[in-house]
Amino acid sequence: MGHLLSKNGYRLNKRTRKLHHRKKKKRNCFLQGPCMLCFIVHGNSGDDDDSDQLETGVNGGGRGRCHSNAGGTGIGSTSKLAGRYAALTSPEDCAKFLLSPRELAIWEGQGRSLLSAVPAKLIPPPALFRSAGIPVPIAVAVSVPGSASDYAEMVCKRKCAEVQRCTPCKQPRCAFPVPEGGVEDGGGSGDASSNSGTGHCHLCPLPSSSSSSSSSVEGCCGMALHGDPLPQSSDSSPCCPHHHDDCQGRGSDVIDTSSINRLPSSILLKVFSHLSVKERCLCASLVCKYWRDLCLDFQFWKQIDLSGLQQVNDDLLVKIASRRQNVTELNISDCRGVQDHGVCSLAAHCPGLQRYTAYRCKQLSDLSLSSLALHCPLLAKVHVGNQDKLTDDALKKLGEHSSELKDIHLGQCYSITDEGMVALSKGCPKLQRIYMQENKLVTDKSVRAFAEHCPELQFVGFMGCSVTSLGVIHLTGLRNLSSLDLRHISELNNETVMEVVRKCRNLSSLNLCLNWSINDRCVEIIAKEGRSLKELYLVSCKITDHALIAIGQYSSTIETVDAGWCKEITDQGATQIARSSKSLRYLGLMRCDKVNEETVERLVVQYPHIVFSTVMQDCKRTLERAYQMGWSPNTSNAS
């Protein structure tokens, strides 16, 4: 038992005298008073004055470690030491009571509990500690020293080795209620009073003699130093039962509060970014207020995808527009409840809108698209396919105010004519993608206008439009053209297609499906001249095996060939292209009735890097994917 004393009596007296003049500096002793828990001598305890007082009672103890056992003489000396402790009446007397390492070994070996023998006045009540507001330091666990010089360097440290440091607590962990029949109020240490001013520290009782030395260790001021779980006997109990329960409660608190909300908001925002607007609005935002605030973060409302939600109406768009002015992308495809008023309101409040998609919104008219053109100067993408009410007036507004437009889709807008298309091409010189589908009023005049005024065009599609070879030939001036869709062009000859392939050196995808005029000679020229071509679609064209053989022989870049519904394709053409082509990865043979299924099965085995598309092969791949996802015929029949 010891107090943090100096190495000699002179220093002790010097510090004691200074207490009457000024507030003494905070000592290294954690308890700021007589440390009854540690029994560590903080100084040179081998002085003759202290050792002579107990020499007659200590004969069998050796200078060993704390856990060395003493003989029968040591048992008698410990009784005398306990009696001396019972006679202590003041902190000053306690401060003078020093133990040598030999005596300390005897006391530790016997495991005697001295708390019951200590005068009650030496232990202050817990209430004073609570009112004092003394910060509780953390006890540091170290190994047991092996000599007296080691004890001189120790500062209120436990004698148990290899014990982990306890996590700091926000509240004093030793400020717990005193059990009934336990320690009573008493006078505190003079040093503790000088340091704390108003209160003292509450000491935890020592383990009784029946306690095992392997019990969980409690640090000074009652903080447990829990490392790995230590085994303890059935009759052993924690040093501080209230603190033990408190630590368990504290651990349960950590478990209760360690939820997903403890993550940084940036991580939660990243998680929520993988949810759709419907999932965020109808699921995540209803969990708690914190999640609702996260779901309202501005980054989620930059790109708004409301496609297919029939509950969306003008009121919702007005609310979004009034609260979120940073919307850059809006998708309202298949939203039947949205009218021109909602789109106009959003366009007026969101000048930064860049991408607008509204497929199959037949209820919208020119008013919505004109409003977007007027209020959104940064508009770069407009996809408004299948809108019957859209006319040339909207395209003229786009040409006047949307100079940044780069991508436009006007498929199946049957009221659009060459007048609107020419105005659009002249006002949007940065246009890179233009797609038309079944626009019967669009002719070669529109194709020529885009070829002349939009030199940056990369994707051009005029599927099913009233376009002929006279208009398509103008596309040869587009040096950046990479994808060309000429499906179902009524008057398209082979010479025009071959000229386009020769002049457009960057062309990588060519779709010539549903053109009966395309023959084997045209395909051969395409295979020879298309140096960058990777995709060639020839569904329902007038080609034979010679076309497939030419592709395998002359092209080193084509990876995808679709020759479905070409009735003249046989086993010879499929085998030759698979054998000779080094770049082929996909061969479409759907409904090529002259190609035997046995031949396709053999090709699948011989050329596993090529995907052969037939009715049977597609069915097998679909069934295989179903099995991989856990489907089985038994579960299907049971359901």
Side-chain angles (χ1 to χ4, degrees):
M1 165 108 198
H3 176 44
L4 181 62
L5 302 179
S6 56
K7 295 184 179 181
N8 50 58
Y10 171 76
R11 188 172 182 181
L12 173 63
N13 297 334
K14 183 177 178 181
R15 290 191 177 183
T16 305
R17 289 194 299 269
K18 288 184 178 180
L19 295 177
H20 302 285
H21 300 288
R22 61 183 178 84
K23 184 176 181 180
K24 195 167 84 67
K25 295 182 179 179
K26 183 178 180 180
R27 296 186 179 183
N28 291 331
C29 181
F30 295 145
L31 294 179
Q32 307 295 330
C35 185
M36 300 182 61
L37 183 63
C38 298
F39 291 93
I40 301 300
V41 180
H42 308 289
N44 188 2
S45 58
D47 296 343
D48 296 336
D49 296 340
D50 299 325
S51 61
D52 291 340
Q53 296 176 3
L54 303 174
E55 188 66 27
T56 58
V58 181
N59 294 323
R63 291 182 178 271
R65 294 185 179 272
C66 294
H67 296 285
S68 61
N69 297 327
T73 309
I75 299 176
S77 63
T78 55
S79 301
K80 293 182 179 181
L81 290 176
R84 286 195 58 200
Y85 253 111
L88 296 178
T89 58
S90 65
E92 288 77 8
D93 295 340
C94 183
K96 295 178 182 180
F97 185 82
L98 304 178
L99 298 180
S100 64
R102 179 178 57 185
E103 299 160 353
L104 180 63
I106 297 174
W107 282 52
E108 182 70 12
Q110 295 298 324
R112 301 292 298 271
S113 176
L114 299 180
L115 185 61
S116 60
V118 177
K121 63 180 70 180
L122 295 180
I123 303 178
L128 294 177
F129 177 80
R130 296 190 189 101
S131 61
I134 302 174
V136 180
I138 301 172
V140 181
V142 296
S143 301
V144 181
S147 62
S149 60
D150 295 334
Y151 283 104
E153 303 299 329
M154 296 182 66
V155 181
C156 193
K157 300 173 183 178
R158 295 310 309 268
K159 296 184 288 298
C160 296
E162 300 179 358
V163 181
Q164 302 296 327
R165 171 176 292 190
C166 180
T167 306
C169 306
K170 294 183 179 180
Q171 299 295 333
R173 308 309 293 176
C174 58
F176 47 80
V178 180
E180 296 182 1
V183 181
E184 299 177 357
D185 296 350
S189 170
D191 295 337
S193 302
S194 61
N195 289 333
S196 62
T198 58
H200 308 280
C201 183
H202 180 69
L203 299 177
C204 299
L206 288 173
S208 62
S209 58
S210 62
S211 300
S212 174
S213 61
S214 62
S215 301
S216 60
V217 182
E218 301 292 333
C220 295
C221 297
M223 287 191 298
L225 304 178
H226 294 288
D228 295 335
L230 299 177
Q232 61 181 17
S233 59
S234 59
D235 58 341
S236 61
S237 60
C239 176
C240 302
H242 294 279
H243 171 61
H244 180 71
D245 297 338
D246 194 7
C247 289
Q248 288 183 348
R250 182 184 170 202
S252 62
D253 292 343
V254 173
I255 296 176
D256 294 340
T257 57
S258 59
S259 63
I260 191 175
N261 289 344
R262 299 295 296 272
L263 295 174
S265 58
S266 59
I267 297 180
L268 289 178
L269 290 175
K270 182 63 177 178
V271 173
F272 290 166
S273 66
H274 295 281
L275 302 178
S276 63
V277 175
K278 183 178 181 180
E279 292 171 338
R280 284 196 299 266
C281 294
L282 301 181
C283 299
S285 63
L286 302 180
V287 173
C288 60
K289 183 178 180 181
Y290 179 52
W291 283 28
R292 185 196 66 181
D293 295 339
L294 291 178
C295 291
L296 292 177
D297 190 80
F298 72 94
Q299 72 176 15
F300 294 140
W301 298 98
K302 284 186 175 181
Q303 302 174 355
I304 303 177
D305 186 2
L306 304 174
S307 58
L309 300 179
Q310 301 303 322
Q311 302 89 341
V312 177
N313 51 26
D314 290 347
D315 294 338
L316 179 60
L317 293 184
V318 171
K319 290 180 180 179
I320 294 175
S322 60
R323 297 183 181 182
R324 302 293 170 186
Q325 289 79 25
N326 58 339
V327 178
T328 60
E329 182 175 353
L330 177 65
N331 188 348
I332 56 173
S333 299
D334 299 305
C335 293
R336 306 292 177 83
V338 176
Q339 304 296 329
D340 291 330
H341 171 69
V343 178
C344 293
S345 177
L346 188 138
H349 290 84
C350 301
L353 189 65
Q354 300 178 10
R355 293 176 291 275
Y356 173 71
T357 304
Y359 289 118
R360 295 170 293 278
C361 293
K362 296 179 178 295
Q363 70 278 7
L364 298 181
S365 64
D366 293 337
L367 183 61
S368 58
L369 194 56
S370 299
S371 180
L372 290 170
L374 290 173
H375 297 97
C376 304
L378 300 178
L379 200 61
K381 173 184 174 181
V382 175
H383 285 194
V384 289
N386 201 357
Q387 291 190 14
D388 299 338
K389 297 182 180 180
L390 205 61
T391 65
D392 294 336
D393 295 336
L395 299 186
K396 292 179 181 178
K397 292 293 183 181
L398 287 175
E400 293 176 4
H401 303 283
S402 301
S403 59
E404 298 295 326
L405 191 62
K406 297 181 180 180
D407 185 2
I408 189 167
H409 188 295
L410 300 172
Q412 296 180 338
C413 296
Y414 303 114
S415 300
I416 293 178
T417 66
D418 291 334
E419 183 180 359
M421 297 293 288
V422 172
L424 180 66
S425 64
K426 291 182 178 180
C428 302
K430 298 181 181 180
L431 202 63
Q432 298 178 0
R433 296 173 61 91
I434 173 69
Y435 184 78
M436 310 295 294
Q437 180 179 350
E438 303 297 336
N439 301 87
K440 299 300 182 180
L441 300 180
V442 176
T443 64
D444 294 336
K445 184 178 181 180
S446 298
V447 179
R448 180 177 181 179
F450 280 106
E452 292 178 355
H453 301 290
C454 302
E456 299 181 10
L457 276 174
Q458 300 176 8
F459 180 92
V460 176
F462 287 96
M463 174 185 176
C465 298
S466 300
V467 176
T468 65
S469 297
L470 298 178
V472 174
I473 196 63
H474 294 286
L475 298 178
T476 56
L478 300 176
R479 303 302 178 186
N480 297 325
L481 186 63
S482 60
S483 180
L484 181 60
D485 187 353
L486 298 176
R487 287 177 291 175
H488 198 201
I489 301 298
S490 57
E491 298 181 11
L492 182 65
N493 54 50
N494 295 319
E495 287 73 14
T496 302
V497 175
M498 292 185 289
E499 188 66 19
V500 171
V501 174
R502 291 191 184 101
K503 297 294 181 65
C504 300
R505 310 301 299 178
N506 294 324
L507 190 64
S508 61
S509 178
L510 179 60
N511 196 330
L512 300 174
C513 299
L514 303 176
N515 289 304
W516 282 94
S517 58
I518 303 299
N519 54 26
D520 294 339
R521 179 174 175 273
C522 179
V523 174
E524 181 179 349
I525 299 300
I526 292 174
K528 292 180 179 179
E529 301 293 338
R531 300 302 180 185
S532 301
L533 196 63
K534 294 183 178 181
E535 300 176 0
L536 181 60
Y537 299 95
L538 303 170
V539 176
S540 191
C541 291
K542 195 177 181 179
I543 60 174
T544 63
D545 291 337
H546 297 287
L548 297 184
I549 295 173
I551 293 173
Q553 182 178 358
Y554 298 113
S555 177
S556 61
T557 60
I558 294 180
E559 300 176 356
T560 300
V561 176
D562 194 348
W565 294 86
C566 295
K567 303 299 183 179
E568 301 299 325
I569 300 294
T570 65
D571 294 344
Q572 182 183 2
T575 303
Q576 289 293 330
I577 189 175
R579 180 183 304 170
S580 58
S581 177
K582 304 300 182 183
S583 59
L584 188 64
R585 296 295 179 268
Y586 176 89
L587 179 60
L589 299 173
M590 185 69 67
R591 292 306 305 271
C592 294
D593 298 334
K594 292 184 179 182
V595 178
N596 295 325
E597 193 62 34
E598 293 78 6
T599 303
V600 177
E601 291 287 351
R602 178 174 52 82
L603 294 176
V604 169
V605 176
Q606 292 180 353
Y607 307 98
H609 62 281
I610 302 177
V611 177
F612 295 90
S613 176
T614 63
V615 175
M616 291 300 298
Q617 293 300 319
D618 289 354
C619 290
K620 289 181 179 179
R621 281 190 290 268
T622 302
L623 190 60
E624 183 180 355
R625 286 194 297 267
Y627 280 127
Q628 293 176 355
M629 297 176 63
W631 177 85
S632 62
N634 295 332
T635 58
S636 178
N637 295 334
S639 60

